[in-house]
Each structure stands twice: as structure tokens, then as C-alpha cells.
Amino acid sequence: MPRIPETVIAMLAHREARAIHSVVYGGFSVEALHGRIETASPRFIVTADGGYRTVRVVELKKIVDEALQRTAAPENVGW
């Protein structure tokens, strides 16, 4: 997720639910994110539609969708 208030809110919600969470850098490629998903076997993924990295827009949801096509999808993907 980009640097927005919802990122902190999502992390605090995981903490309150006593769930383990892993923050993934918004600039990860599809292959790198796929590797993280395969290793962690998450139950759900929280992402945003997109975010700014310097002067360009990174389509985060598109990257997550492409990574999920290469692996078994978790129960829920929210954005």
C-alpha cells in the first residue's frame, strides 16, 4: 500500500486482531510479490488501487492480481 492513513489503520487492525502481518514494499515486481505469497500462504491481502513512487504511478492492484494468477489465491483480497 502507498503511504496513506489506511496503511497504518490496516496494520493497527491486524495488531488488535493479534494477526501476523507482513508489510510489502510498494515497488515489488510481480515475481517478487509472487514469491512472498508462495512463502507466506496468506489468508488475505490488503492493497490499494495504486500509489505514487517519485513521479510515476504504480498500479498496485494490477501487480497483486498478476501475482495471484500465478499461485493459489488467498481467501480474500481487499482494496
Side-chain angles (χ1 to χ4, degrees):
M1 289 183 64
R3 293 180 186 137
I4 56 176
E6 288 84 351
T7 302
V8 176
I9 293 166
M11 289 189 307
L12 291 174
H14 284 94
R15 180 177 172 264
E16 287 298 315
R18 297 182 190 267
I20 298 171
H21 72 276
S22 174
V23 178
V24 177
Y25 169 66
F28 269 28
S29 66
V30 174
E31 294 80 21
L33 185 59
H34 172 263
R36 283 275 183 111
I37 292 171
E38 284 288 316
T39 302
S41 300
R43 293 183 60 196
F44 59 91
I45 296 175
V46 179
T47 188
D49 289 336
Y52 290 103
R53 295 294 308 163
T54 59
V55 294
R56 67 183 179 99
V57 175
V58 178
E59 296 179 8
L60 300 170
K61 179 72 167 96
K62 182 179 174 184
I63 293 170
V64 170
D65 287 341
E66 288 180 27
L68 289 175
Q69 288 177 355
R70 301 178 185 195
T71 186
E75 295 174 17
N76 298 299
V77 176
W79 73 98

